[in-house]
C-alpha cells in the first residue's frame, strides 16, 4: 500500500472545458493530482502519468477533498493501482481534535 505524504497543494480551477484539479506536492515536487469531472459522467480509471498519480472524482466530491487538504494533517496520498482502492488518507486521530469548543452560558 504505497503512501506518500502530501505536504502542499495547489488549486487549478480552470474555465471552459478543463476539469478542476488539485495538484499535490511532496518535497517541492508534484506527486499527483485530484481531477474532478462533472457529476454523473463516467470517471476514467485512476492511473499514473509521468510518475504522478491521477485520481478521478466527481465535482460533488470537490468540497470534501479541499476540506481534507485544508484541515487534516498529516494527510497521505494512497495509490494501489488502477482498479484498486486509491484516495486521501489520514492516520489515528484523537476524537474531537480540532473541533470548535462551545461555551455554555
Amino acid at each position: 500500500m504505497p503512501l506518500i505524504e502530501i505536504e502542499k497543494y495547489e488549486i487549478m480551477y480552470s474555465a471552459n472545458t478543463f476539469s478542476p484539479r488539485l495538484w499535490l506536492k511532496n518535497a517541492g515536487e508534484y506527486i499527483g493530482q485530484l481531477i474532478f469531472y462533472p457529476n454523473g459522467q463516467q470517471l476514467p480509471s485512476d492511473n499514473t502519468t509521468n510518475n504522478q498519480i491521477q485520481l478521478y472524482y466527481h465535482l460533488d466530491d470537490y468540497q470534501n477533498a479541499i476540506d481534507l487538504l485544508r484541515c487534516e494533517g498529516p494527510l497521505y496520498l494512497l495509490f494501489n493501482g488502477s482498479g484498486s482502492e486509491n484516495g486521501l488518507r489520514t492516520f489515528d486521530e484523537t476524537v474531537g481534535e480540532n473541533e470548535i469548543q462551545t461555551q455554555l452560558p
Side-chain angles (χ1 to χ4, degrees):
M1 170 175 25
L3 289 171
I4 305 169
E5 186 171 2
I6 301 167
E7 294 177 346
K8 295 186 178 192
Y9 67 95
E10 296 178 12
I11 297 170
M12 183 63 186
Y13 209 88
S14 300
N16 298 313
T17 61
F18 295 97
S19 296
R21 296 174 306 282
L22 297 172
W23 291 325
L24 309 174
K25 298 175 86 174
N26 176 286
E29 300 291 326
Y30 293 102
I31 57 172
Q33 61 182 332
L34 309 179
I35 304 166
F36 297 87
Y37 276 51
N39 298 326
Q41 184 173 335
Q42 184 171 347
L43 299 176
S45 295
D46 298 333
N47 62 68
T48 57
T49 302
N50 298 325
N51 294 321
Q52 294 182 19
I53 297 166
Q54 315 291 307
L55 302 184
Y56 297 91
Y57 295 91
H58 287 115
L59 279 172
D60 277 347
D61 294 312
Y62 184 86
Q63 190 62 51
N64 295 329
I66 196 73
D67 285 349
L68 284 170
L69 289 165
R70 288 180 175 153
C71 300
E72 296 296 331
L75 187 63
Y76 297 87
L77 179 59
L78 169 68
F79 186 72
N80 288 302
S82 184
S84 298
E85 186 171 21
N86 305 306
L88 303 177
R89 179 177 175 178
T90 66
F91 281 98
D92 291 344
E93 303 233 0
T94 304
V95 174
E97 181 181 31
N98 295 324
E99 295 296 321
I100 297 171
Q101 301 296 319
T102 57
Q103 298 284 332
L104 295 176

